[in-house]
Amino acid sequence: MRDRRPAFPVGLYGMLLFALCWLVLPVVFAPLEGVLVGAGTLVVRAAAVLAGTPVEAAVAATPAERGLVVDLAARLQAHAVPASADWTNGTAPVHCAVIALGRRGAREAIGGGGEPCEILLDHTYAELVGCRTLVTKGNVLVGWLQRPGSGIAADDTLDDFARVMLVNHPQAPALHAELHEPAATPLRLVVRAAKVADPASLRVDLWHDPWRASRLDRAGLPVFTRAAIGEQSTPAGLLLGTTRIWGYAADRDGEPFTLGVFVLPTVSARALSHVVLWRGAAIDPALAGARPAAAARTLVPSRAVLHDLPGATHGRHLLVTTATPMAGAAAVADGRLLGLVRPLAFGSALMTTFAASRQRWSLVLLPDAAAEPPLELQAEVVADDGDAVRLRVLAHIVTEVDGARQVRIGAGWLFTGTNGLACPSGLRIGRCEPDPVDPRFLLVSVPRVRGPLAVDVLASAEAR
């Protein structure tokens, strides 16, 4: 008799297994996906050539808009240095931009409170010869510059971008500090990096007056460093953050009971875009023979043409260029950010506009008031309504704590902060105003992107 049992669908299950691997291991299949999608875009490119639509030049920025970049740089540097501090005597500030968050292997370096604990600067170690290990932001202690070949920078060389250990790093030294209460003498304490699962990046370990500490019932009190001498010496008076109380609130018949105190840093690593190092007269003997070196990877602008794709109203565009752009590279038109690029193949790439993005952005707000410092913040796009983009502010950086003073985000111009090596800080995005309904949101005026359009995109010099 003939066997009528159905055959096992090897092809079907093989395709399902392949699709599952594609979803679970996107990095492995990314090159194949780039080739397939790049080949598919050849049809669109051929249609664009046959249609013969002329490429439009980018709308030129006004002289006032070009001057904003100079104003931003000047105000960032002016407000990044403490007004007066004895520990800065004999040193000169070195202003550095943050280009990326540090990594351990293939993962982002995470420290206390589940926050990043390492950053990379736009200067190499060789370019920072003679700098102290101290890294600051205004009156705030950010962390310590590392030395190549030792500690967490054991695999780094002089030509690598400099690595900074933040105060919430698991290997960061304990800090002598003091808590300032109104109308009371400072309360001395020791601050260490918290655990990853803790509700804040730093925690208090020791008190010189435990009984008084157990009566703390007010959060938001500033915590400053006390002078300490050692390999990573710290001057007094640098802001670490504000307190967060963990315990039981006071009831009708009792008093508050504090179980623990954490410190919320005023500087969020994901919003940080600029820091300051301090160069003295003395040169580190280990680096005395070093010479300033070029950046490990040189990025150059490459001309490209932006085309509309079906559904371009949703912020997806085709980019055609002769160079190979880096993943996450910024597409720019006369200093204005259009979006970020995802490279494919055959000289093609996909660009997602700023308005259509759903990632978390590091941004810098330049207030209209000349006396106000630039505000570094982290935000994400939540809505796109015509020419107005709605941003939700997730974190912002405060370099001074003044009692009940609240940071109010006002009107100004919005620029990029730290969003990867290929998306540098200082790219103009648009006019920004606080949402009149909810101050946690910002409304940004972003012009629509229409192709064909001539743009610039950052590419690696080695790929040209």
Side-chain angles (χ1 to χ4, degrees):
M1 296 179 62
R2 181 179 298 177
D3 188 1
R4 297 183 179 274
R5 288 181 298 176
F8 184 77
V10 177
L12 175 61
Y13 282 95
M15 292 178 61
L16 292 176
L17 180 60
F18 180 77
L20 178 62
C21 294
W22 192 304
L23 293 174
V24 175
L25 304 171
V27 176
V28 176
F29 290 90
L32 176 60
E33 182 181 1
V35 171
L36 294 177
V37 179
T41 60
L42 293 176
V43 179
V44 179
R45 293 169 60 179
V49 172
L50 295 176
T53 305
V55 176
E56 298 182 6
V59 178
T62 64
E65 291 175 340
R66 290 194 177 98
L68 289 171
V69 179
V70 179
D71 189 19
L72 175 67
R75 287 164 67 176
L76 276 171
Q77 292 193 9
H79 291 278
V81 177
S84 61
D86 294 338
W87 60 268
T88 62
N89 296 336
T91 60
V94 179
H95 298 270
C96 299
V98 180
I99 58 173
L101 300 176
R103 308 185 73 85
R104 295 178 190 165
R107 294 185 178 183
E108 189 176 273
I110 298 298
E115 294 295 319
C117 60
E118 296 177 18
I119 57 175
L120 300 180
L121 306 181
D122 65 341
H123 288 58
T124 62
Y125 290 104
E127 292 171 320
L128 297 176
V129 169
C131 287
R132 297 176 59 180
T133 59
L134 194 69
V135 181
T136 62
K137 174 73 175 179
N139 193 41
V140 178
L141 174 62
V142 175
W144 301 272
L145 174 68
Q146 299 302 288
R147 299 303 186 194
S150 63
I152 64 173
D155 297 331
D156 294 350
T157 65
L158 286 174
D159 290 335
D160 288 332
F161 293 117
R163 186 182 306 271
V164 174
M165 174 195 290
L166 302 183
V167 292
N168 68 323
H169 196 284
Q171 299 180 32
L175 294 168
H176 297 277
E178 58 186 23
L179 185 153
H180 289 193
E181 289 186 276
T185 58
L187 190 59
R188 298 195 303 272
L189 50 105
V190 174
V191 175
R192 298 181 185 273
K195 302 298 183 183
V196 174
D198 284 339
S201 299
L202 303 172
R203 62 184 173 89
V204 177
D205 246 6
L206 299 171
W207 302 89
H208 89 283
D209 190 345
W211 178 257
R212 180 178 158 194
S214 67
R215 293 298 185 266
L216 287 175
D217 60 351
R218 179 179 173 183
L221 297 175
V223 178
F224 296 90
T225 60
R226 289 175 60 87
I229 300 176
E231 182 181 355
Q232 295 174 328
S233 61
T234 305
L238 291 177
L239 180 64
L240 289 175
T242 55
T243 56
R244 180 173 184 178
I245 308 300
W246 202 260
Y248 297 95
D251 55 21
R252 183 177 303 176
D253 302 322
E255 296 182 353
F257 186 75
T258 300
L259 296 177
V261 177
F262 293 89
V263 179
L264 290 168
T266 56
V267 169
S268 171
R270 300 187 189 278
L272 188 64
S273 59
H274 296 83
V275 296
V276 176
L277 280 76
W278 300 90
R279 176 173 276 132
I283 302 296
D284 188 341
L287 304 178
R291 295 290 183 270
R297 281 179 284 183
T298 302
L299 299 178
V300 293
S302 175
R303 298 299 292 176
V305 178
L306 200 66
H307 296 278
D308 290 340
L309 286 173
T313 54
H314 300 292
R316 303 296 190 273
H317 298 265
L318 173 65
L319 194 76
V320 180
T321 177
T322 56
T324 302
M326 297 183 63
V332 183
D334 199 13
R336 178 171 63 90
L337 175 73
L338 301 182
L340 297 183
V341 171
R342 176 190 173 193
L344 298 174
F346 309 111
S348 298
L350 295 178
M351 190 205 77
T352 302
T353 62
F354 176 80
S357 67
R358 292 299 180 264
Q359 71 179 62
R360 295 187 172 185
W361 289 85
S362 170
L363 304 169
V364 181
L365 174 63
L366 181 67
D368 290 337
E372 291 292 324
L375 183 63
E376 299 175 32
L377 51 91
Q378 184 190 35
E380 62 181 355
V381 177
V382 295
D384 177 16
D385 184 13
D387 290 338
V389 175
R390 197 163 188 253
L391 293 176
R392 178 192 290 116
V393 178
L394 303 173
H396 59 266
I397 291 178
V398 180
T399 56
E400 293 182 0
V401 175
D402 181 17
R405 183 178 69 90
Q406 298 293 328
V407 175
R408 295 186 178 181
I409 303 177
W413 281 87
L414 197 65
F415 294 82
T416 56
T418 300
N419 297 284
L421 178 62
C423 185
S425 176
L427 299 177
R428 189 177 74 258
I429 297 176
R431 280 287 303 171
C432 176
E433 294 183 355
D435 191 327
V437 178
D438 191 338
R440 296 175 301 172
F441 293 86
L442 298 175
L443 300 179
V444 187
S445 299
V446 179
R448 288 292 178 184
V449 180
R450 303 291 184 189
L453 183 69
V455 299
D456 291 320
V457 62
L458 289 178
S460 173
E462 298 176 356
R464 291 176 62 85

